[in-house]
Amino acid sequence: MQVRIISVFCIVALGLCFSGYGQTRSVKSGEPLSGTGLLDEKQQLEALMGSGIDRFALRAMEDAASHRRNSIHGLEPGSEDLSSKQEELRVQFAKLIGAVDERVKPQGIEIVSTTTENGVVAENGQVSVLAVRWKVLEGMDASGLLIRPVGKDIVARVVAIPDADWTPEMISGIQPGTVGEESKVTKRNGGGGSGARTECTTEFALSFALMGCEVLVPTLVDRDTRFSRNDELGRSTNLSHREFVYRQAFELGRHVIGFEVQKVLAAVDQFRSIAQTSDLPIVVAGVSEGGLLALYSAALDSRIDAAIVSGYFDQREGVWKEPIYRNVWGLLKQHGDAELAAMIAPRRLFIEAAPMIPEVSGPAEANRNVAAPGTIVSPSVDSVLLEVQRARKLVKEKSVGDRIVVLDGRKPGSDPLEFSTVKDCLDRICGNENTYVETNRRLVDQRKKFSAVERQRVQIEQMVGYTQNLLRKAHRQREKRFSQFDRSSPVAFDRDVEQERVRIHEELFGRLPKPTSDPRPRTRLVIDATEMRGYEVVLDVYPDVIASGILLLPSDLKDGEKRPVVVCQHGLEGTPMDTIGGPQTSGYRAYKGFAAELCRRGFIVYAPQNPYRGGDRFRTLQRKSNVLGRSLFSYIIPQHLVALRWLSELPNVDPERIGFYGLSYGGKTAVRVPPMLPPTEDEPGYCLSICSADFNEWVAKNASVDAPFSYLWTGEYEIFEWNMGHVANYAELSILMTPRPFMVERGHDDGVGIDEWVAWEFAKVRRHYNKLGIGHLTEIEFFDGPHTINGDATYRFLHRHLQWPEPENSK
């Protein structure tokens, strides 16, 4: 039998898809559903959807840059208006980078010494270098070097921040106990992210000390991979240490950037606590990753008198191309580099347009390649100057004067923050010319048992330990947040929690305005079987953003008859046809053709295409959206709203009986979309939701280092949601379904988690429903099987709550 398929989905023969669902018939070319236009798109719809969202996201980044100009544009440095706006932006920015925890009060810088080592690292008559650490947060220290000038009055205090792949010793000119060049020390370090070794040819920390500055040099988390593992679980990855910390911290509203900014600011705390010289200028200076931290720290803390940023300052619209540990939720709403520079004004900012050293070509290769792609390349001078120009326009340029200074670090043979550059900056900061003449800089490490690798391990373990402690306590904040709502009745709770839905939508997923454009429904017939007809559907959501899917209509529909709808959602890398295909198709093992089966049972079925398809192509959509405080669900939720509007207007649809049933990533959708789209007087919504093969103690699944099925060990780098641990876990999201029915389908052998975690999280939902007297509206089915649709209790749940009779021959 010849069957023509006008769909873009990869099926060889419709008979294979519908084996067991009735005889198939040939499809009439170009036949649309009544009341819709003809869909004549030749491109694959999932690709069309992805490219459209991509254009929408890139355009939004460009628009955000224009909007940012209005934040503090034209305000006079030093004015009350500017100071007030800067403080408001600082509070916002601290939250974005997770620098929100109270630091330990300064109690002095500790010298790291033992019975065999006195803490002295090196000395040469001009400077002395000590191994030190200082308290930052409870359970987290900063560790590095303190360099002090000898026989010279201190003129300033400096936090000198290396690139992530440079040790404090490298930028301090300290040789590892061997004789080398006296004028320049070149060291190598093995953690360049891509596996390449990286050179450090700058000794700017030592330069500051030689000119009379007291200098603290913190250790940064590097890009090596050796500690991104859990040997007890047999899990190792190619995650850089920075991404390893980033993944778990992001889920809890913290960030590797925020932790390291806190270390810089804790150093400032120490400097300011020295009463007798508290009036000395405090400077932060850094290269590459250290330049980022210098810029961020100075923008946050007005106690810092000057910042020197080398090899980092640039236009940030391409941040999505950089390593994911630079991904900051909502960054580009208000805080591009120019805006951060304006937050520093009228304090001094020096920007060196130097090569990015080291450049990063991507993650390291390993046996388990799960790291996110991302590169760091040197910004062009033109791009740097454009961002500087924007910064100067944000505050009145004539008032800025020489407060934003561009240093040219691109001269042939020059190094980042070389001696003459440091001297020029320091002269301007201190207001007098330093007459120091550079002499012998040779410093040799005197320590016998020092290990930079061990120091790095401790720094990482402290961040991991701090994050895991947040994970253990996060439920308290969620419980406090949800305890405030009226639980006197289901109606009272639903009314009281209405604004919480809006807040969670905004905080957790990113909320776009409701779509208002004409959806222009276009369809084409792609399935014609004895028991159902299927139409491919495209709807407009926003400019360039479409919703698409397949609508299945039972063949026995009668004119004027109203039936319930089940929206059947595919999982990761899936298509609507995966939910429809028969036993011979590749998707059947997981989906069991549940969309077609439900249509055979008499339901109208809509199987939407969600945009999580295409590997890195869709994951970069998340990156492009995150910097504006958006996620894939910023688009998915409006896509479903537009689909619900269209479905509710179809002549055979009962708009009050539209339910949702999703597997895997579709189950992820089940606890994110229906809770945000309840039926209202103004809009249609989902009247129930079923989460299959996904429900979990989701925050722990993302952030735990002790679970073998944690997303720390997998390639789904887009999965992490900013501060979810303190906003809403799966229990809280499911509770937002109240008073609508909610169900979980769980296979004992499903590797996404373990029964105990699933039961723990669902128990909170059941207790909530029981306390409201509606316990019959929620249930969970455990079945003996893997990551799949089971189609037993869930089908009965749908028939019961959508009020549609079960067929006589159903199990």
Side-chain angles (χ1 to χ4, degrees):
M1 176 182 59
Q2 286 288 99
V3 178
R4 181 164 183 195
I5 300 173
I6 314 173
S7 170
V8 299
F9 300 101
C10 299
I11 0 178
V12 177
L14 198 57
L16 290 179
C17 285
F18 283 85
S19 175
Y21 297 129
Q23 186 179 1
T24 58
R25 299 188 292 262
S26 61
V27 177
K28 298 178 182 178
S29 175
E31 181 182 337
L33 180 68
S34 176
T36 68
L38 174 64
L39 175 61
D40 57 4
E41 179 60 52
K42 301 298 189 293
Q43 186 179 358
Q44 290 187 346
L45 295 185
E46 65 266 29
L48 184 67
M49 177 185 293
S51 61
I53 294 174
D54 185 72
R55 291 191 298 274
F56 185 90
L58 290 173
R59 189 167 57 246
M61 275 195 280
E62 293 173 1
D63 293 344
S66 300
H67 295 154
R68 290 198 305 270
R69 295 189 188 106
N70 300 323
S71 61
I72 50 180
H73 184 270
L75 296 179
E76 187 79 36
S79 69
E80 185 174 335
D81 287 343
L82 179 61
S83 297
S84 175
K85 186 62 179 179
Q86 286 174 326
E87 190 55 36
E88 176 186 331
L89 290 171
R90 286 186 187 111
V91 172
Q92 293 174 3
F93 187 55
K95 290 180 180 178
L96 296 184
I97 64 172
V100 294
D101 299 306
E102 185 177 356
R103 292 188 298 277
V104 176
K105 292 182 179 179
Q107 299 173 348
I109 299 169
E110 301 175 25
I111 298 174
V112 180
S113 62
T114 67
T115 55
T116 58
E117 302 271 10
N118 62 6
V120 176
V121 175
E123 50 192 354
N124 65 0
Q126 299 175 81
V127 298
S128 66
V129 185
L130 300 173
V132 297
R133 60 174 169 252
W134 57 99
K135 298 291 185 184
V136 182
L137 305 171
E138 289 294 338
M140 188 186 301
D141 303 331
S143 182
L145 302 176
L146 173 63
I147 314 176
R148 285 174 165 162
V150 175
K152 195 176 179 96
D153 290 339
I154 296 174
V155 298
R157 289 193 161 87
V158 178
V159 185
I161 315 168
D163 177 65
D165 278 342
W166 296 343
T167 66
E169 289 76 15
M170 290 179 185
I171 66 168
S172 304
I174 298 172
Q175 299 190 41
T178 59
V179 177
E181 297 179 43
E182 294 183 354
S183 60
K184 181 187 290 188
V185 181
T186 301
K187 305 288 193 300
R188 292 182 178 270
N189 176 277
S194 62
R197 296 175 73 84
T198 59
E199 291 189 357
C200 174
T201 57
T202 177
E203 301 172 351
F204 68 95
L206 177 58
S207 296
F208 276 113
L210 290 170
M211 286 182 250
C213 299
E214 188 172 50
V215 185
L216 269 174
V217 190
T219 302
L220 300 192
V221 172
D222 66 22
R223 302 185 186 96
D224 204 346
T225 64
R226 72 180 75 197
F227 301 120
S228 301
R229 59 194 302 128
N230 186 327
D231 291 334
E232 291 181 0
L233 300 178
R235 292 288 187 266
S236 62
T237 72
N238 69 328
L239 300 179
S240 72
H241 295 148
R242 298 188 73 77
E243 183 175 350
F244 185 61
V245 173
Y246 160 86
R247 287 192 178 197
Q248 54 195 284
F250 195 87
E251 192 76 7
L252 294 154
R254 304 300 189 273
H255 205 292
V256 62
I257 290 173
F259 287 149
E260 291 183 334
V261 165
Q262 290 276 51
K263 293 188 177 190
V264 173
L265 299 186
V268 175
D269 295 340
Q270 296 291 346
F271 285 155
R272 283 298 183 207
S273 69
I274 305 173
Q276 65 270 28
T277 54
S278 60
D279 58 338
L280 290 176
I282 291 179
V283 181
V284 291
V287 175
S288 189
E289 218 69 51
L292 177 156
L293 296 172
L295 179 67
Y296 283 19
S297 298
L300 269 184
D301 197 330
S302 59
R303 299 175 302 169
I304 295 170
D305 298 290
I308 305 172
V309 177
S310 177
Y312 176 76
F313 196 89
D314 194 11
Q315 300 178 85
R316 282 295 141 212
E317 282 63 43
V319 68
W320 59 272
K321 302 175 187 177
E322 297 175 11
I324 199 168
Y325 52 75
R326 288 186 172 183
N327 181 49
V328 174
W329 175 263
L331 176 70
L332 296 186
K333 281 185 175 181
Q334 296 283 357
H335 299 93
D337 284 5
E339 287 71 34
L340 296 175
M343 288 164 62
I344 295 172
R347 294 168 291 143
R348 293 184 182 274
L349 173 62
F350 299 88
I351 298 166
E352 184 176 47
M356 190 75 73
I357 301 175
E359 293 191 339
V360 174
S361 59
E365 293 293 324
N367 293 331
R368 189 175 177 86
N369 293 315
V370 300
T375 61
I376 299 176
V377 298
S378 300
S380 70
V381 174
D382 289 343
S383 182
V384 173
L385 293 178
L386 281 172
E387 192 70 1
V388 170
Q389 185 180 11
R390 280 209 322 112
R392 286 174 170 159
K393 286 181 178 179
L394 286 173
V395 290
K396 291 183 178 179
E397 190 164 1
K398 64 180 182 180
S399 304
V400 173
D402 63 351
R403 296 285 165 162
I404 301 179
V405 178
V406 179
L407 310 166
D408 186 5
R410 295 278 185 155
K411 299 185 293 292
S414 64
D415 298 320
L417 295 187
E418 59 186 12
F419 186 86
S420 60
T421 302
V422 171
K423 183 177 183 302
D424 180 39
C425 294
L426 197 59
D427 288 346
R428 294 178 188 235
I429 293 167
C430 295
N432 59 286
E433 186 171 348
N434 194 307
T435 58
Y436 176 79
V437 178
E438 188 173 7
T439 59
N440 177 14
R441 300 161 66 104
R442 181 169 175 264
L443 288 167
V444 178
D445 199 327
Q446 301 176 14
R447 294 168 293 182
K448 305 301 182 185
K449 297 181 179 180
F450 169 70
S451 169
V453 171
E454 176 62 15
R455 181 176 59 190
Q456 180 72 203
R457 183 192 65 79
V458 171
Q459 295 291 287
I460 294 166
E461 287 192 355
Q462 286 183 350
M463 287 190 184
V464 170
Y466 190 87
T467 303
Q468 297 303 298
N469 191 42
L470 286 173
L471 173 61
R472 287 188 288 272
K473 297 189 296 185
H475 70 94
R476 299 175 190 169
Q477 190 164 324
R478 298 194 304 269
E479 290 163 3
K480 181 179 180 181
R481 182 171 180 150
F482 272 73
S483 66
Q484 61 185 309
F485 302 116
D486 186 350
R487 284 180 164 82
S488 61
S489 71
V491 173
F493 182 85
D494 187 35
R495 182 178 58 247
D496 207 25
V497 85
E498 183 177 347
Q499 288 305 308
E500 186 66 7
R501 287 192 185 97
V502 175
R503 285 191 291 271
I504 289 177
H505 190 164
E506 177 65 38
E507 291 178 36
L508 198 53
F509 311 130
R511 189 166 182 260
L512 291 172
K514 279 190 176 183
T516 57
S517 58
D518 182 356
R520 295 190 313 116
R522 288 91 74 199
T523 65
R524 59 188 170 203
L525 183 65
V526 294
I527 296 169
D528 194 3
T530 54
E531 293 185 323
M532 67 195 71
R533 288 163 68 86
Y535 293 87
E536 202 164 38
V537 180
V538 170
L539 306 166
D540 291 342
V541 181
Y542 299 112
D544 288 323
V545 179
I546 63 166
S548 70
I550 294 179
L551 176 71
L552 299 179
L553 299 174
S555 297
D556 62 352
L557 270 176
K558 299 179 178 61
D559 289 343
E561 180 186 18
K562 297 288 187 180
R563 290 200 188 183
V565 177
V566 181
V567 174
C568 295
Q569 188 64 65
H570 64 79
L572 180 65
E573 298 292 350
T575 68
M577 196 61 79
D578 289 332
T579 70
I580 299 169
Q584 283 75 34
T585 59
S586 60
Y588 187 81
R589 180 177 180 274
Y591 296 101
K592 303 293 176 61
F594 78 113
E597 170 62 19
L598 288 169
C599 187
R600 188 182 66 79
R601 287 168 170 260
F603 295 103
I604 295 172
V605 172
Y606 180 64
Q609 177 71 58
N610 268 5
Y612 38 73
R613 179 173 169 84
D616 286 338
R617 290 195 302 277
F618 90 77
R619 292 188 167 104
T620 57
L621 298 180
Q622 185 91 321
R623 293 289 311 273
K624 293 169 185 174
S625 302
N626 273 186
V627 291
L628 295 177
R630 298 174 182 174
S631 68
L632 283 178
F633 282 94
S634 299
Y635 316 109
I636 292 172
I637 293 172
Q639 284 175 324
H640 278 255
L641 176 59
V642 169
L644 285 166
R645 289 171 178 171
W646 177 69
L647 288 168
S648 68
E649 293 173 355
L650 294 179
N652 290 110
V653 168
D654 182 348
E656 295 183 359
R657 292 187 289 164
I658 303 178
F660 185 96
Y661 187 0
L663 172 86
S664 192
Y665 240 82
K668 178 179 166 74
T669 307
V671 295
R672 287 164 176 80
V673 174
M676 300 300 120
L677 295 177
T680 67
E681 292 182 1
D682 302 321
E683 296 282 10
Y686 286 112
C687 71
L688 65 77
S689 181
I690 300 175
C691 174
S692 177
D694 186 75
F695 196 86
N696 221 315
E697 211 292 10
W698 190 258
V699 174
K701 179 173 171 59
N702 280 267
S704 174
V705 297
D706 294 315
F709 46 81
S710 169
Y711 279 119
L712 284 178
W713 318 118
T714 72
E716 287 94 341
Y717 58 81
E718 84 292 345
I719 208 84
F720 304 92
E721 292 159 297
W722 175 249
N723 201 27
M724 187 177 191
H726 296 107
V727 176
N729 204 343
Y730 270 22
E732 289 78 25
L733 290 175
S734 303
I735 284 169
L736 292 178
M737 283 295 296
T738 309
R740 296 167 286 161
F742 175 75
M743 182 176 179
V744 170
E745 184 177 48
R746 160 73 192 174
H748 290 312
D749 301 323
D750 190 341
V752 301
I754 55 176
D755 290 351
E756 291 84 350
W757 279 28
V758 176
W760 163 273
E761 193 69 7
F762 182 76
K764 303 173 190 177
V765 183
R766 185 186 294 279
R767 179 181 63 209
H768 168 78
Y769 272 70
N770 283 340
K771 286 285 190 180
L772 288 175
I774 53 173
H776 62 288
L777 296 182
T778 188
E779 61 183 89
I780 187 169
E781 180 196 30
F782 289 96
F783 66 93
D784 190 13
H787 189 75
T788 182
I789 293 287
N790 190 47
D792 184 5
T794 52
Y795 289 172
R796 294 196 300 272
F797 188 85
L798 289 168
H799 282 288
R800 182 166 67 255
H801 293 293
L802 292 179
Q803 301 172 33
W804 186 256
E806 292 190 61
E808 292 182 2
N809 60 349
S810 66
K811 53 184 177 179

